[in-house]
Amino acid sequence: QAPPVESGGGLVQAGGSLSLSCIAAGGTKCIARMGWYRQAPGKEREWVADIKFDRPHGTLDYADSVKGRFTISTDNAKNRVYLQMDSLEPEDTAVYYCYVLGGCRDAPYYYDTEYLGKGTLVTVSS
């Protein structure tokens, strides 16, 4: 397996910005989607945003709670995703997990299988 690897978390004041990045360690093949979940202390995991690689620039989607504040993007190789988070609120405090949804019969990313990173902590102070 080749789970994705996140980076870029940290501490920021409310109203500030932070950028996360994620690389699919298994390479550029067999990736149907890449995106982000988050899990706040004491809460269930929440889907945040993702990119579906079904067209040259992908199809982007966002949770209502972050729409207009967060921006997901990818690179030309389509094995990295970035999450630009603006106008952060204390409620955005969470561990952010990157995921890869596989799209092949073969390794590294099998069809309809989700590969989750270890997560990176984002803390927004009030």
Side-chain angles (χ1 to χ4, degrees):
Q1 291 193 356
V5 179
E6 308 94 339
S7 61
L11 173 64
V12 64
Q13 288 189 331
S17 298
L18 206 59
S19 182
L20 306 181
S21 63
C22 171
I23 183 169
T28 61
K29 296 182 179 179
C30 300
I31 300 174
R33 294 177 187 253
M34 288 186 73
W36 298 89
Y37 292 109
R38 68 184 180 183
Q39 188 164 18
K43 295 188 177 181
E44 293 187 353
R45 189 174 68 181
E46 174 190 20
W47 173 78
V48 175
D50 72 8
I51 295 179
K52 182 179 179 181
F53 296 115
D54 58 346
R55 59 183 70 183
H57 296 290
T59 300
L60 313 183
D61 201 7
Y62 299 92
D64 288 343
S65 58
V66 306
K67 201 170 292 184
R69 300 187 298 121
F70 290 12
T71 304
I72 191 170
S73 61
T74 187
D75 65 340
N76 289 334
K78 295 181 173 58
N79 76 323
R80 287 180 186 263
V81 288
Y82 307 94
L83 189 67
Q84 176 65 36
M85 304 183 292
D86 299 319
S87 303
L88 282 162
E89 304 166 352
E91 292 73 22
D92 296 315
T93 294
V95 177
Y96 284 71
Y97 298 91
C98 178
Y99 69 90
V100 170
L101 183 67
C104 288
R105 292 182 178 180
D106 299 317
Y109 299 115
Y110 291 94
Y111 178 75
D112 209 28
T113 300
E114 197 171 82
Y115 300 82
L116 201 63
K118 292 183 178 180
T120 184
L121 177 62
V122 172
T123 304
V124 184
S125 63
S126 57

